[in-house]
């Protein structure tokens, strides 16, 4: 038997133990008079869970694409350290991972919280989701799974539960109830970052630090469209900040032969759009979109 609760929890996670196995360890610990409060508060993500997928992506892809999202971590950092960072930022339903001493966990929480306050990259400041906005804005916040509005009653007519959208590591994609014109299928996808920005102008105020965020939205929306709608080129658009009815940043994606809400349009007051033909275009298109955003 493990003589320490953290060792027991680490061993259980290492072999992919299920909940029953962990409960057995707790009961065994109780028989030796070992306190179990710290043990029961931890959970290392298991394969098939949202947190496991997000942590795996962060460890094997995110750390290379956006190292600034993971302060203090490197490619050599453990799975648990990446999960602790996601937990501190309130992302992907990640709990405190098992197998970390209190000092290490506190350090990771502090760094992760700072990263959350700085947004998705390079010190880009994101505001706390404000109260008093429209129900549509609150709905987008909930669908994007922003932790600031997670505990409020669902404001979305389609509901806020499972099956409404598709989750990515740093964004959520869901269907717009409105349809594009001039394309079949006429589906329009909305992709919103988990971190809060009210409008494209808010994001652009971050300067060059906005580029990785735009790249993430372009990449995630492209992948979700190709997977769930069809394999085709796209218009990727932001509404103009002064006319956007929903105060939660979101990208509109629809097929490149269509129009939607007067987009694409050379008048960037109405909207800013780029035409995307392949995933490899993301870096250059992000710069184009950034320059157009108003």
């Amino acid at each position: 038997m493990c003589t320490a609760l953290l060792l027991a929890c680490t061993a259980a996670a290492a072999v992919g133990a299920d909940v029953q196995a962990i409960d057995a360890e707790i009961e065994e610990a109780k028989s030796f008079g070992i306190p179990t409060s710290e043990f029961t508060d931890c959970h290392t993500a298991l394969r098939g869970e949202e947190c496991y997928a997000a942590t795996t992506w962060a460890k094997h892809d995110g750390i290379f694409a956006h190292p600034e999202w993971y302060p203090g971590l490197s490619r050599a950092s453990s799975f648990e350290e990446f999960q602790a960072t996601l937990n501190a930022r309130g992302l992907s339903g990640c709990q405190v991972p098992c197998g970390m001493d209190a000092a290490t966990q506190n350090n990771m929480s502090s760094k992760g919280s700072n990263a959350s306050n700085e947004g998705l990259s390079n010190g880009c400041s994101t505001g706390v989701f404000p109260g008093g906005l429209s129900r549509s804005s609150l709905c987008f916040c909930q669908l994007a799974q922003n932790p600031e509005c997670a505990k409020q009653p669902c404001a979305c007519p389609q509901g806020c539960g499972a099956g409404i959208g598709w989750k990515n590591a740093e964004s959520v994609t869901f269907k717009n109830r409105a349809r594009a014109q001039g394309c079949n299928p006429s589906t329009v996808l909305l992709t919103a970052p988990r971190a809060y920005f009210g409008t494209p102008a808010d994001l652009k105020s971050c300067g060059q630090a906005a580029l990785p965020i735009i790249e993430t939205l372009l990449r995630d929306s492209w992948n979700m469209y190709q997977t769930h709608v069809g394999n085709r080129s796209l218009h990727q658009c932001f509404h103009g900040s002064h006319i956007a009815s929903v105060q939660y940043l979101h990208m509109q994606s629809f097929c490149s032969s269509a129009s939607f809400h007067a987009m694409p349009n050379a008048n960037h007051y109405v909207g800013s759009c780029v035409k995307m033909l392949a995933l490899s275009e993301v870096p250059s298109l992000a710069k184009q979109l950034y320059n157009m955003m108003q």
Side-chain angles (χ1 to χ4, degrees), residues 96-144:
V96 174
C98 301
M100 300 182 69
D101 60 74
T104 301
Q105 177 60 41
N106 288 338
N107 183 45
M108 297 303 301
S109 295
S110 175
K111 291 179 178 178
S113 296
N114 290 338
S116 179
N117 291 334
E118 290 171 355
L120 295 180
S121 64
N122 295 332
C124 185
S125 178
T126 66
V128 174
F129 182 77
L133 297 182
S134 67
R135 284 183 61 83
S136 295
S137 300
L138 176 58
C139 170
F140 272 57
C141 182
Q142 292 170 327
L143 293 181

Side-chain angles (χ1 to χ4, degrees), residues 140-164:
F140 272 57
C141 182
Q142 292 170 327
L143 293 181
Q145 300 184 334
N146 184 295
E148 295 291 339
C149 53
K151 295 183 179 180
Q152 299 186 45
C154 180
C156 303
Q158 68 269 48
C160 298
I164 301 299

Side-chain angles (χ1 to χ4, degrees), residues 23 25 29 54 164 178 181 206 213 217 230 237 253:
D23 288 344
E25 291 283 357
I164 301 299
Q181 296 180 333
C206 299
I213 301 171
L217 296 178
C237 303
S253 302

Side-chain angles (χ1 to χ4, degrees), residues 167-189:
K167 302 171 186 177
N168 307 294
E170 300 291 342
S171 71
V172 174
T173 299
F174 45 96
K175 290 183 179 181
N176 194 330
R177 293 194 297 169
R179 296 283 182 163
Q181 296 180 333
C183 182
N184 185 21
S186 57
T187 303
V188 179
L189 296 187

Side-chain angles (χ1 to χ4, degrees), residues 166 175 183-189 221-234 253-256 276-277:
W166 303 288
K175 290 183 179 181
C183 182
N184 185 21
S186 57
T187 303
V188 179
L189 296 187
S221 59
W222 170 270
N223 287 335
M224 292 302 99
Y225 194 100
Q226 306 305 309
T227 300
H228 298 287
V229 182
N231 186 11
R232 59 203 315 164
S233 57
L234 299 177
S253 302
F254 50 95
C255 72
S256 60
M276 190 167 173
L277 304 178

Side-chain angles (χ1 to χ4, degrees), residues 86-104:
L86 296 183
N87 165 260
R89 296 171 65 185
L91 296 175
S92 302
C94 289
Q95 299 173 241
V96 174
C98 301
M100 300 182 69
D101 60 74
T104 301

